[in-house]
Amino acid sequence: MEAVGGYAAGVYLRSPTTGLLLMAVFTGLPLQLFRPWWRMQVNRPYPVAEAYRSGQAVHLPDAESAMRRFPQLTAGLPFPFGSLYEPVTAGTERFGVLVVLREATPGIPVGTADRERLRGAAEQLAADLTVLAAAGARTLWEGDPVGVPAPPPEAGAEGARRAADRLAQAVLSLDREGRIGYVNTAAEDLLGIDGPQLRGRLLWEALPWLGHPAYEDHFRAGFMSGEPVHFPARRGRHAPGQWLSVDLYPAADGVTLTLGTSAKPAYAPESRAGPDMDADADVDVDVDADMDAYEDLDASADEASVLYRPVALAIALTEAITARQVSAVVTEELLPAFGGRQLAIYLLDERHLHLAWETGFPQGFLDRFDGVSLDVRLPGVETLTTGRPLFFESMQHLAAAYPGIPLDADVGARAFLPLIASGRPVGSCILGFDAPRGFSPEDRTVLTALAGLIAQALARARRYDSEVELARGLQSALLPHRLPVREHVDTVGRYLPGTQGMDVGGDWYDVVETGTGLLALVIGDVQGHGVAAAATMGQLRSAVRAFALSGSTPAQVVSGTNQLLIDLDPGQFASCCYMLLDPASGSVTAARAGHPQPLLRHPDGRTEVLDLAGGVVLGIDQEASYPVTELQLTTGSVLALYTDGLVEKPGLDIDVGVERLRTALAAARPSPLAETADRLISEAGNTADRPDDIALLLASRTGGDP
C-alpha cells in the first residue's frame, strides 16, 4: 500500500461458494464502512471481479475512468479516488485479487513503477499461498474480513494539545481506520466522556449515533476523497434531539473531526433503519454499554448495505439479457442484501404461473406449484392478481393466512412480491428467510421497488428470449443436418451457440459434393449475432453451394460470394475459408477471406498451423482478390477448420488460443473423427461464459492414392 502511494489496501480471496470472492483482509480505512463490498460475485461488472476473471490488472487513476468502465462502482462510491486491482495468480491457479486505494490522479495514468510494484507484491502473495496450499492449508476464505491494524494513534505533542484545548470547538483526531487519537477538552465537555475513555476506540463504537446509515456516505467521502466534508448529525439519549455540526478534514495520515452545536437544519437525513433505529430513540453512548453500541453499529451497517442494493441491482439488471441472467442477478444482489436464503421466480403464461428459477428450497418442493392457474388461492398467485406484496414474519403467520398450504420449513419468514411491468403482470417472486423476522416500512418499500425493477427486466428478457428462439430456429434450419459420405474421406461438423447476448451468431460450416467429383469444405463467420446474422449466413451458405455446384474454382467462389454480400447488404461483412479436396489424390486448393488459418495434423501426430494466402474479409472491397494455395492431404491426416470463437478468450491473444487448439489436435486420436471433434470442442462447451458462437469442421483422409 505504501509503496504505491495508497491509503488503503485489501485482499479478496476465493470462498467455498463457487463464483464468490470474499474480502479477507483490509487496512487503511474503517472496515465497517465497506460492508456492502465484503462479498463480490466474480461475474459482476466490478473491477475486482474483472481482474479475477480476466487474470489482468485493472488500473483506475480517477473517478472518470472508473465511471466509464465500472459505473456500478461509482454508483456506490461516488467520490474522487484512484484504485488498483492486481490478480493473485500462480500459473493457472487463481487465489484472488489485491486491491489498493489511493488519491485520484485525473488524466495521469498509473505509472510503470507502481504497476511493477503491485505485480511483484501479488506474485509474492501468490507464491506464499501456493506454499500453504501445498502444505495442506485451505486457501479459501470464510467469514468476515480481518482488519489489519495500523500503528496506535498518537495523542500529539504536548504543545499542540494545549493549543487545541484552548479552542471552544470540540476537536477529535482520527487515524485512517477511524480510531480516536487526540480528544480536546471541549470535546470531552460536549460529549460528557473523558478523553482516556475515547482514545484508541473506533469513532462509531465510542459514539454509535454517528454510525447511523444516513451518515455513512459522508464518512466514506471524507476518508476516500481527501476533501473536507460537512454535515449535521443528531445525538441520542444524553442530548435527545440535539443537532451537531460535523466537519471532517482528511489528510494522508488521518482525519480531524470537529463538532459544534447547531439548530436542526432545514434539511437533515432522516432515519432509514426502521423503528428500532429511529433517530429519536434512546441510543446509549455510555462507554459501559460497549456491546450494545457495537450491535447498534452493526445493524446500521447492514442497513447501509441494503440501501445500496437498489442502485447495484438496477445497474446489474441493465446488463442482464436473458430471463436466466435476470434471475441470477436477483439471486446475487437481492438475497445477500436482506439476509435471504430462498428465492423463487414464477413467470405468467396464459393465466398460469410457471417456475422459472429457484434456489434454496428443498429439491422438488416447488414442483407442486408449477403451472398453477390464477384461480388458485396461493400467496404467490394473489400477490400478482391483487398487485400487493405480502409479508409474513413467521411461517405460523403464513400457515394461518393460508390454511393447509404446504410449507417447506417450520421456522422462517416469507415475502411474496408481484412482478408487474408498466401495468402488465409478468409473474411473482418469493423471498425466503431461515428465521422469523420483521419487515420495516423501509424494507417493504425497497422490496416493492426492487420487484418493479425485476419485472421490467424480466419483461425485456422474455422479448429477447423470443428473438433468440427465432434466431436459433433459423440457424438450425440453415446449418447442414448431415454431411455427405464419400469414399476415402470422413467429415465431422460441430456448432455451439454463444451463452451471452443473442446467443446465435452467423458461424456456419458446410461440405458440398461438386459435379466434378471434388469435395468442397467451407467454414465462415458473419459479423454480429441474432436473426440478421443468421439470415445473412443462410444467404452466403446458399451462394457458396451454388458456386461450388457450378464447378467454380476456389478463387471464383470466394470472389463471387464477396460481390454478392456487397450487393445484398453494404456494411455487413464475413470471413470465410473455402477448400476444394480431391478425395482420391488428396490434393487441396484453398482460398481464404480474413478467416483464421486451418490446422493440419499429419499421420505421425505432428500438427501445424497452415499458412494459406488470403484476402480481406467478404463485403469490404468489391475489387478484392483471393489467391489460391495448393497443398496435399496424405492418408491418415486430419484437416481442422474453425471459427474464432473456438480460440478467442477475453484478455488473451488469439495466438494463444490457436496454439492451445493445435496442441489438443496433436494429442487427440485421429480416429474416430467424431471423438476428436468432441474433444476439441469440449472445453468451450463446458464454459458457461462464452461470448461467441463456435463452428468446427474436421476432414480426415482415410484412403486413396498415397
Side-chain angles (χ1 to χ4, degrees):
M1 179 183 72
E2 293 175 354
V4 297
Y7 55 70
V11 176
Y12 283 85
L13 292 178
R14 292 176 305 172
S15 72
T17 302
T18 302
L20 178 66
L21 300 177
L22 295 180
M23 183 185 289
V25 293
F26 195 69
T27 190
L29 287 173
L31 187 59
Q32 59 268 39
L33 291 182
F34 296 89
R35 183 180 291 265
W37 298 274
W38 287 6
R39 299 163 54 91
M40 183 63 60
Q41 296 287 340
V42 298
N43 61 348
R44 304 285 358 116
Y46 283 91
V48 170
E50 172 70 19
Y52 181 83
R53 286 196 311 268
S54 68
Q56 304 294 314
V58 176
H59 303 119
L60 304 174
D62 51 33
E64 181 180 351
S65 60
M67 173 62 78
R68 186 170 59 251
R69 295 184 59 187
F70 302 99
Q72 274 193 271
L73 176 68
T74 52
L77 296 170
F79 321 115
F81 68 96
S83 52
L84 315 176
Y85 307 84
E86 189 71 41
V88 180
T89 60
T92 59
E93 184 73 11
R94 301 181 185 181
F95 292 105
V97 180
L98 174 62
V99 182
V100 175
L101 307 182
R102 65 184 196 175
E103 292 186 3
T105 57
I108 303 175
V110 178
T112 302
D114 286 344
R115 293 169 183 250
E116 292 177 350
R117 292 187 188 102
L118 196 64
R119 179 68 257 161
E123 288 175 350
Q124 182 60 55
L125 177 56
D128 293 341
L129 290 171
T130 300
V131 172
L132 287 175
R138 283 172 60 86
T139 57
L140 302 179
W141 189 264
E142 299 182 73
D144 294 341
V146 172
V148 180
E154 297 290 338
E158 183 65 22
R161 185 189 67 80
R162 285 197 299 268
D165 281 343
R166 300 187 190 104
L167 297 174
Q169 189 175 34
V171 178
L172 296 87
S173 177
L174 311 176
D175 69 4
R176 292 296 304 182
E177 294 176 2
R179 287 181 297 174
I180 300 172
Y182 174 71
V183 181
N184 75 345
T185 302
E188 294 178 339
D189 295 340
L190 177 64
L191 299 173
I193 306 174
D194 292 338
Q197 294 177 290
L198 293 172
R199 282 194 284 271
R201 303 179 67 194
L202 283 171
L203 175 69
W204 306 277
E205 179 184 327
L207 306 174
W209 47 274
L210 280 175
H212 194 280
Y215 311 139
E216 286 198 356
D217 240 7
H218 298 298
F219 282 108
R220 274 189 281 265
F223 276 87
M224 296 186 68
S225 71
E227 300 292 331
V229 174
H230 314 281
F231 64 94
R234 186 161 53 176
R235 294 182 63 185
R237 175 180 300 172
H238 291 292
Q242 181 186 18
W243 285 87
L244 299 178
S245 60
V246 182
D247 304 288
L248 304 175
Y249 300 94
D253 58 346
V255 176
T256 296
L257 182 148
T258 66
L259 300 172
T261 57
S262 66
K264 179 178 179 178
Y267 169 78
E270 298 295 339
S271 169
R272 300 185 188 177
D276 293 339
M277 284 298 294
D278 192 296
D280 281 328
D282 289 341
V283 182
D284 192 354
V285 295
D286 194 319
V287 291
D288 295 330
D290 227 22
M291 187 56 67
D292 291 341
Y294 188 81
E295 288 175 355
D296 285 343
L297 171 63
D298 192 55
S300 297
D302 285 336
E303 290 295 335
S305 177
V306 171
L307 293 175
Y308 278 107
R309 288 298 177 178
V311 177
L313 179 61
I315 297 177
L317 285 175
T318 63
E319 301 166 353
I321 298 173
T322 67
R324 184 173 184 83
Q325 289 172 344
V326 170
S327 301
V329 166
V330 173
T331 301
E332 294 160 2
E333 297 289 351
L334 193 61
L335 286 184
F338 290 89
R341 292 293 181 269
Q342 297 88 25
L343 178 75
I345 293 177
Y346 286 82
L347 296 178
L348 181 65
D349 185 21
E350 296 184 352
R351 293 188 58 78
H352 287 76
L353 286 172
H354 298 276
L355 183 63
W357 180 274
E358 66 168 306
T359 183
F361 287 94
Q363 185 175 3
F365 173 77
L366 294 179
D367 292 347
R368 70 194 74 188
F369 304 111
D370 192 14
V372 297
S373 81
L374 296 186
D375 300 326
V376 178
R377 187 174 185 271
L378 289 170
V381 173
E382 293 193 350
T383 189
L384 180 61
T385 56
T386 64
R388 292 184 291 104
L390 302 174
F391 299 94
F392 300 95
E393 298 183 350
S394 69
M395 302 303 283
Q396 289 72 28
H397 289 170
L398 175 58
Y402 293 87
I405 186 175
L407 300 176
D408 63 293
D410 297 327
V411 179
R414 295 290 183 269
F416 296 84
L417 308 174
L419 302 179
I420 300 174
S422 302
R424 296 189 299 274
V426 175
S428 59
C429 175
I430 305 173
L431 188 60
F433 304 86
D434 286 344
R437 60 158 290 167
F439 295 93
S440 69
E442 289 75 14
D443 287 339
R444 295 170 186 244
T445 299
V446 170
L447 284 171
T448 303
L450 293 179
L453 293 175
I454 296 166
Q456 293 283 355
L458 283 171
R460 183 183 67 248
R462 296 187 76 178
R463 291 192 297 271
Y464 207 89
D465 287 341
S466 297
E467 294 182 22
V468 169
E469 185 176 353
L470 174 61
R472 281 180 173 167
L474 182 59
Q475 179 86 336
S476 176
L478 294 175
L479 284 172
H481 293 279
R482 62 181 181 85
L483 300 180
V485 178
R486 287 290 302 272
E487 188 179 9
H488 307 315
V489 175
D490 284 343
T491 56
V492 172
R494 294 289 185 267
Y495 172 79
L496 283 179
T499 60
Q500 296 180 357
M502 183 59 84
D503 287 341
V504 177
D507 291 19
W508 93 93
Y509 63 87
D510 205 354
V511 177
V512 184
E513 292 183 281
T514 70
T516 59
L518 303 181
L519 205 60
L521 310 174
V522 192
I523 197 159
D525 184 358
V526 178
Q527 171 206 24
H529 296 81
V531 175
T536 301
M537 176 272 288
Q539 293 172 314
L540 294 186
R541 176 173 177 250
S542 298
V544 170
R545 289 185 68 88
F547 285 124
L549 291 172
S550 69
S552 300
T553 66
Q556 292 171 333
V557 171
V558 178
S559 295
T561 306
N562 174 55
Q563 185 62 54
L564 176 67
L565 182 55
I566 291 175
D567 294 341
L568 284 174
D569 189 1
Q572 181 75 285
F573 60 87
S575 66
C576 178
C577 184
Y578 181 91
M579 309 184 83
L580 201 56
L581 167 65
D582 183 345
S585 67
S587 64
V588 177
T589 53
R592 190 174 61 88
H595 201 81
Q597 294 280 6
L599 302 180
L600 178 60
R601 184 187 192 276
H602 296 276
D604 60 2
R606 180 173 56 88
T607 304
E608 62 177 313
V609 180
L610 295 178
D611 185 17
L612 304 183
V616 298
V617 293
L618 307 176
I620 299 296
D621 180 8
Q622 62 183 358
E623 302 297 332
S625 61
Y626 297 94
V628 171
T629 303
E630 296 183 358
L631 61 144
Q632 188 70 29
L633 199 63
T634 58
T635 301
S637 56
V638 177
L639 195 61
L641 291 78
Y642 54 91
T643 56
D644 55 9
L646 186 59
V647 292
E648 278 191 329
K649 284 190 176 182
L652 292 180
D653 190 281
I654 190 172
D655 290 340
V656 176
V658 172
E659 176 59 24
R660 185 189 306 114
L661 181 63
R662 188 200 65 79
T663 302
L665 180 59
R669 294 171 53 194
S671 179
L673 198 60
E675 290 185 7
T676 302
D678 291 337
R679 176 170 181 173
L680 296 183
I681 212 166
S682 61
E683 180 182 352
N686 294 329
T687 301
D689 188 15
R690 191 169 57 252
D692 199 3
D693 52 346
I694 295 169
L696 172 69
L697 178 62
L698 299 183
S700 174
R701 181 130 185 276
T702 59
D705 298 336

Short mmCIF file of all heavy atoms in Angstrom, two decimals, residues 396-439:
data_model
loop_
_atom_site.label_atom_id
_atom_site.label_comp_id
_atom_site.label_asym_id
_atom_site.label_seq_id
_atom_site.Cartn_x
_atom_site.Cartn_y
_atom_site.Cartn_z
N GLN A 396 -45.71 -19.49 10.87
CA GLN A 396 -47.02 -19.63 11.51
C GLN A 396 -48.01 -18.60 10.96
O GLN A 396 -49.18 -18.91 10.74
CB GLN A 396 -46.88 -19.49 13.04
CG GLN A 396 -46.18 -20.66 13.73
CD GLN A 396 -44.68 -20.71 13.45
OE1 GLN A 396 -44.07 -19.67 13.19
NE2 GLN A 396 -44.11 -21.90 13.49
N HIS A 397 -47.53 -17.37 10.72
CA HIS A 397 -48.39 -16.35 10.13
C HIS A 397 -48.81 -16.76 8.72
O HIS A 397 -49.97 -16.54 8.31
CB HIS A 397 -47.66 -15.01 10.09
CG HIS A 397 -47.49 -14.39 11.43
ND1 HIS A 397 -46.69 -13.28 11.65
CD2 HIS A 397 -48.02 -14.71 12.64
CE1 HIS A 397 -46.73 -12.96 12.92
NE2 HIS A 397 -47.53 -13.81 13.55
N LEU A 398 -47.90 -17.34 7.97
CA LEU A 398 -48.23 -17.78 6.62
C LEU A 398 -49.26 -18.91 6.66
O LEU A 398 -50.23 -18.91 5.88
CB LEU A 398 -46.95 -18.25 5.91
CG LEU A 398 -47.12 -18.86 4.51
CD1 LEU A 398 -47.79 -17.88 3.56
CD2 LEU A 398 -45.76 -19.29 3.96
N ALA A 399 -49.04 -19.88 7.57
CA ALA A 399 -49.99 -21.00 7.67
C ALA A 399 -51.36 -20.54 8.12
O ALA A 399 -52.39 -21.07 7.67
CB ALA A 399 -49.43 -22.05 8.64
N ALA A 400 -51.42 -19.53 9.00
CA ALA A 400 -52.71 -19.03 9.46
C ALA A 400 -53.45 -18.30 8.36
O ALA A 400 -54.69 -18.37 8.26
CB ALA A 400 -52.49 -18.11 10.66
N ALA A 401 -52.71 -17.58 7.50
CA ALA A 401 -53.35 -16.83 6.41
C ALA A 401 -53.81 -17.75 5.29
O ALA A 401 -54.80 -17.44 4.59
CB ALA A 401 -52.39 -15.78 5.87
N TYR A 402 -53.11 -18.89 5.11
CA TYR A 402 -53.45 -19.83 4.04
C TYR A 402 -53.49 -21.24 4.63
O TYR A 402 -52.55 -22.02 4.48
CB TYR A 402 -52.43 -19.75 2.91
CG TYR A 402 -52.46 -18.43 2.17
CD1 TYR A 402 -51.72 -17.34 2.62
CD2 TYR A 402 -53.25 -18.26 1.04
CE1 TYR A 402 -51.77 -16.12 1.96
CE2 TYR A 402 -53.30 -17.06 0.37
CZ TYR A 402 -52.56 -15.99 0.84
OH TYR A 402 -52.62 -14.78 0.18
N PRO A 403 -54.59 -21.57 5.31
CA PRO A 403 -54.68 -22.89 5.97
C PRO A 403 -54.50 -24.02 4.97
O PRO A 403 -55.04 -24.00 3.86
CB PRO A 403 -56.10 -22.89 6.55
CG PRO A 403 -56.47 -21.45 6.67
CD PRO A 403 -55.79 -20.76 5.53
N GLY A 404 -53.68 -25.00 5.37
CA GLY A 404 -53.45 -26.16 4.54
C GLY A 404 -52.37 -26.01 3.50
O GLY A 404 -52.06 -26.98 2.79
N ILE A 405 -51.77 -24.83 3.36
CA ILE A 405 -50.73 -24.64 2.36
C ILE A 405 -49.50 -25.45 2.75
O ILE A 405 -49.07 -25.46 3.91
CB ILE A 405 -50.38 -23.14 2.21
CG1 ILE A 405 -49.39 -22.94 1.05
CG2 ILE A 405 -49.80 -22.58 3.50
CD1 ILE A 405 -49.08 -21.47 0.77
N PRO A 406 -48.91 -26.17 1.80
CA PRO A 406 -47.66 -26.90 2.12
C PRO A 406 -46.54 -25.92 2.47
O PRO A 406 -46.37 -24.89 1.81
CB PRO A 406 -47.35 -27.66 0.82
CG PRO A 406 -48.64 -27.69 0.06
CD PRO A 406 -49.37 -26.44 0.43
N LEU A 407 -45.78 -26.26 3.49
CA LEU A 407 -44.66 -25.42 3.93
C LEU A 407 -43.37 -26.21 3.78
O LEU A 407 -43.32 -27.41 4.06
CB LEU A 407 -44.84 -24.97 5.38
CG LEU A 407 -46.10 -24.15 5.69
CD1 LEU A 407 -46.18 -23.86 7.19
CD2 LEU A 407 -46.12 -22.87 4.90
N ASP A 408 -42.31 -25.52 3.38
CA ASP A 408 -41.02 -26.19 3.23
C ASP A 408 -40.20 -26.17 4.51
O ASP A 408 -39.17 -26.81 4.59
CB ASP A 408 -40.21 -25.51 2.11
CG ASP A 408 -39.89 -24.07 2.43
OD1 ASP A 408 -40.82 -23.26 2.47
OD2 ASP A 408 -38.71 -23.76 2.65
N ALA A 409 -40.66 -25.41 5.51
CA ALA A 409 -39.93 -25.32 6.77
C ALA A 409 -40.90 -24.91 7.87
O ALA A 409 -41.96 -24.34 7.61
CB ALA A 409 -38.79 -24.32 6.67
N ASP A 410 -40.54 -25.22 9.12
CA ASP A 410 -41.37 -24.83 10.27
C ASP A 410 -41.00 -23.44 10.79
O ASP A 410 -41.81 -22.78 11.45
CB ASP A 410 -41.22 -25.85 11.40
CG ASP A 410 -41.72 -27.23 11.00
OD1 ASP A 410 -42.69 -27.29 10.20
OD2 ASP A 410 -41.13 -28.23 11.45
N VAL A 411 -39.77 -23.04 10.51
CA VAL A 411 -39.28 -21.75 11.02
C VAL A 411 -38.82 -20.91 9.84
O VAL A 411 -38.20 -21.42 8.91
CB VAL A 411 -38.12 -21.96 12.01
CG1 VAL A 411 -37.59 -20.62 12.52
CG2 VAL A 411 -38.55 -22.83 13.18
N GLY A 412 -39.12 -19.62 9.91
CA GLY A 412 -38.66 -18.74 8.85
C GLY A 412 -39.63 -17.61 8.62
O GLY A 412 -40.56 -17.37 9.41
N ALA A 413 -39.42 -16.88 7.54
CA ALA A 413 -40.29 -15.77 7.13
C ALA A 413 -40.33 -15.77 5.60
O ALA A 413 -39.42 -16.28 4.94
CB ALA A 413 -39.78 -14.45 7.68
N ARG A 414 -41.39 -15.16 5.05
CA ARG A 414 -41.54 -15.14 3.60
C ARG A 414 -42.07 -13.79 3.13
O ARG A 414 -42.89 -13.16 3.80
CB ARG A 414 -42.52 -16.24 3.13
CG ARG A 414 -42.04 -17.66 3.38
CD ARG A 414 -40.88 -18.04 2.48
NE ARG A 414 -40.48 -19.43 2.66
CZ ARG A 414 -39.56 -19.83 3.52
NH1 ARG A 414 -38.94 -18.94 4.28
NH2 ARG A 414 -39.24 -21.11 3.61
N ALA A 415 -41.60 -13.38 1.96
CA ALA A 415 -42.13 -12.20 1.28
C ALA A 415 -42.53 -12.62 -0.13
O ALA A 415 -41.75 -13.27 -0.83
CB ALA A 415 -41.08 -11.09 1.23
N PHE A 416 -43.75 -12.27 -0.53
CA PHE A 416 -44.27 -12.56 -1.87
C PHE A 416 -44.45 -11.24 -2.59
O PHE A 416 -45.21 -10.37 -2.14
CB PHE A 416 -45.59 -13.32 -1.78
CG PHE A 416 -45.48 -14.68 -1.14
CD1 PHE A 416 -45.50 -14.81 0.24
CD2 PHE A 416 -45.33 -15.82 -1.92
CE1 PHE A 416 -45.39 -16.05 0.85
CE2 PHE A 416 -45.21 -17.07 -1.33
CZ PHE A 416 -45.24 -17.20 0.06
N LEU A 417 -43.76 -11.09 -3.72
CA LEU A 417 -43.72 -9.80 -4.42
C LEU A 417 -44.33 -9.94 -5.81
O LEU A 417 -43.99 -10.86 -6.56
CB LEU A 417 -42.28 -9.31 -4.55
CG LEU A 417 -41.45 -9.26 -3.27
CD1 LEU A 417 -40.00 -8.90 -3.59
CD2 LEU A 417 -42.04 -8.28 -2.28
N PRO A 418 -45.24 -9.03 -6.17
CA PRO A 418 -45.80 -9.06 -7.53
C PRO A 418 -44.80 -8.49 -8.53
O PRO A 418 -44.16 -7.47 -8.28
CB PRO A 418 -47.04 -8.18 -7.42
CG PRO A 418 -46.69 -7.19 -6.35
CD PRO A 418 -45.80 -7.92 -5.37
N LEU A 419 -44.66 -9.16 -9.65
CA LEU A 419 -43.80 -8.67 -10.72
C LEU A 419 -44.69 -8.09 -11.81
O LEU A 419 -45.30 -8.83 -12.60
CB LEU A 419 -42.93 -9.81 -11.27
CG LEU A 419 -42.03 -10.51 -10.24
CD1 LEU A 419 -41.24 -11.63 -10.90
CD2 LEU A 419 -41.11 -9.52 -9.55
N ILE A 420 -44.80 -6.77 -11.81
CA ILE A 420 -45.68 -6.07 -12.74
C ILE A 420 -44.86 -5.00 -13.45
O ILE A 420 -44.23 -4.16 -12.82
CB ILE A 420 -46.87 -5.43 -11.99
CG1 ILE A 420 -47.69 -6.52 -11.28
CG2 ILE A 420 -47.75 -4.64 -12.95
CD1 ILE A 420 -48.79 -5.98 -10.41
N ALA A 421 -44.87 -5.03 -14.78
CA ALA A 421 -44.09 -4.10 -15.59
C ALA A 421 -45.04 -3.25 -16.42
O ALA A 421 -45.78 -3.78 -17.25
CB ALA A 421 -43.12 -4.84 -16.50
N SER A 422 -45.02 -1.94 -16.18
CA SER A 422 -45.86 -1.00 -16.94
C SER A 422 -47.32 -1.42 -16.92
O SER A 422 -48.02 -1.36 -17.93
CB SER A 422 -45.36 -0.89 -18.39
OG SER A 422 -44.01 -0.47 -18.42
N GLY A 423 -47.78 -1.88 -15.76
CA GLY A 423 -49.17 -2.27 -15.60
C GLY A 423 -49.49 -3.66 -16.09
O GLY A 423 -50.63 -4.13 -15.93
N ARG A 424 -48.54 -4.37 -16.68
CA ARG A 424 -48.78 -5.71 -17.21
C ARG A 424 -48.17 -6.75 -16.27
O ARG A 424 -46.99 -6.65 -15.91
CB ARG A 424 -48.19 -5.86 -18.60
CG ARG A 424 -48.82 -4.97 -19.66
CD ARG A 424 -48.33 -5.32 -21.06
NE ARG A 424 -46.90 -5.15 -21.17
CZ ARG A 424 -46.30 -3.98 -21.48
NH1 ARG A 424 -47.04 -2.90 -21.67
NH2 ARG A 424 -45.00 -3.90 -21.58
N PRO A 425 -48.97 -7.76 -15.87
CA PRO A 425 -48.42 -8.79 -14.96
C PRO A 425 -47.37 -9.65 -15.66
O PRO A 425 -47.57 -10.08 -16.80
CB PRO A 425 -49.66 -9.62 -14.59
CG PRO A 425 -50.63 -9.40 -15.71
CD PRO A 425 -50.37 -8.00 -16.21
N VAL A 426 -46.28 -9.86 -14.97
CA VAL A 426 -45.18 -10.67 -15.52
C VAL A 426 -45.04 -11.98 -14.75
O VAL A 426 -44.79 -13.03 -15.32
CB VAL A 426 -43.85 -9.89 -15.46
CG1 VAL A 426 -42.69 -10.75 -15.91
CG2 VAL A 426 -43.93 -8.62 -16.30
N GLY A 427 -45.21 -11.93 -13.42
CA GLY A 427 -45.06 -13.12 -12.59
C GLY A 427 -45.01 -12.73 -11.13
O GLY A 427 -45.50 -11.67 -10.72
N SER A 428 -44.43 -13.58 -10.32
CA SER A 428 -44.30 -13.30 -8.89
C SER A 428 -42.96 -13.81 -8.39
O SER A 428 -42.36 -14.71 -8.99
CB SER A 428 -45.44 -13.92 -8.09
OG SER A 428 -45.48 -15.33 -8.28
N CYS A 429 -42.51 -13.23 -7.29
CA CYS A 429 -41.20 -13.55 -6.71
C CYS A 429 -41.40 -13.91 -5.25
O CYS A 429 -42.13 -13.21 -4.52
CB CYS A 429 -40.27 -12.35 -6.85
SG CYS A 429 -38.66 -12.54 -6.05
N ILE A 430 -40.77 -14.98 -4.81
CA ILE A 430 -40.83 -15.41 -3.41
C ILE A 430 -39.44 -15.26 -2.81
O ILE A 430 -38.47 -15.78 -3.34
CB ILE A 430 -41.29 -16.87 -3.28
CG1 ILE A 430 -42.62 -17.08 -4.00
CG2 ILE A 430 -41.39 -17.27 -1.82
CD1 ILE A 430 -43.05 -18.53 -4.07
N LEU A 431 -39.37 -14.54 -1.71
CA LEU A 431 -38.12 -14.34 -0.98
C LEU A 431 -38.26 -15.02 0.38
O LEU A 431 -39.20 -14.72 1.13
CB LEU A 431 -37.83 -12.85 -0.81
CG LEU A 431 -36.47 -12.43 -0.25
CD1 LEU A 431 -35.35 -12.91 -1.14
CD2 LEU A 431 -36.42 -10.91 -0.09
N GLY A 432 -37.37 -15.95 0.71
CA GLY A 432 -37.47 -16.72 1.94
C GLY A 432 -36.33 -16.47 2.89
O GLY A 432 -35.19 -16.19 2.48
N PHE A 433 -36.64 -16.59 4.21
CA PHE A 433 -35.65 -16.39 5.28
C PHE A 433 -35.69 -17.59 6.21
O PHE A 433 -36.76 -18.16 6.46
CB PHE A 433 -35.96 -15.10 6.05
CG PHE A 433 -36.03 -13.88 5.18
CD1 PHE A 433 -37.22 -13.54 4.54
CD2 PHE A 433 -34.92 -13.08 4.98
CE1 PHE A 433 -37.29 -12.42 3.72
CE2 PHE A 433 -34.98 -11.96 4.18
CZ PHE A 433 -36.17 -11.63 3.54
N ASP A 434 -34.53 -17.95 6.76
CA ASP A 434 -34.44 -19.13 7.62
C ASP A 434 -34.97 -18.90 9.02
O ASP A 434 -35.24 -19.85 9.74
CB ASP A 434 -32.98 -19.59 7.72
CG ASP A 434 -32.50 -20.26 6.44
OD1 ASP A 434 -33.36 -20.63 5.62
OD2 ASP A 434 -31.28 -20.40 6.26
N ALA A 435 -35.12 -17.64 9.42
CA ALA A 435 -35.58 -17.32 10.77
C ALA A 435 -36.70 -16.29 10.69
O ALA A 435 -36.78 -15.51 9.73
CB ALA A 435 -34.43 -16.79 11.62
N PRO A 436 -37.58 -16.25 11.69
CA PRO A 436 -38.61 -15.20 11.71
C PRO A 436 -37.96 -13.82 11.71
O PRO A 436 -36.88 -13.63 12.29
CB PRO A 436 -39.36 -15.46 13.02
CG PRO A 436 -39.09 -16.89 13.34
CD PRO A 436 -37.71 -17.17 12.84
N ARG A 437 -38.59 -12.86 11.08
CA ARG A 437 -38.05 -11.51 11.04
C ARG A 437 -39.17 -10.53 10.73
O ARG A 437 -40.19 -10.86 10.14
CB ARG A 437 -36.97 -11.37 9.98
CG ARG A 437 -37.40 -11.68 8.55
CD ARG A 437 -36.48 -11.03 7.54
NE ARG A 437 -36.63 -9.59 7.50
CZ ARG A 437 -35.80 -8.75 6.90
NH1 ARG A 437 -34.74 -9.23 6.28
NH2 ARG A 437 -36.00 -7.46 6.89
N GLY A 438 -38.98 -9.31 11.18
CA GLY A 438 -39.92 -8.26 10.84
C GLY A 438 -39.55 -7.61 9.52
O GLY A 438 -38.42 -7.71 9.05
N PHE A 439 -40.53 -6.96 8.93
CA PHE A 439 -40.31 -6.19 7.70
C PHE A 439 -40.68 -4.74 7.99
O PHE A 439 -41.86 -4.41 8.11
CB PHE A 439 -41.16 -6.75 6.55
CG PHE A 439 -40.79 -8.14 6.13
CD1 PHE A 439 -41.44 -9.24 6.67
CD2 PHE A 439 -39.78 -8.36 5.21
CE1 PHE A 439 -41.10 -10.53 6.29
CE2 PHE A 439 -39.43 -9.64 4.81
CZ PHE A 439 -40.09 -10.74 5.36
#
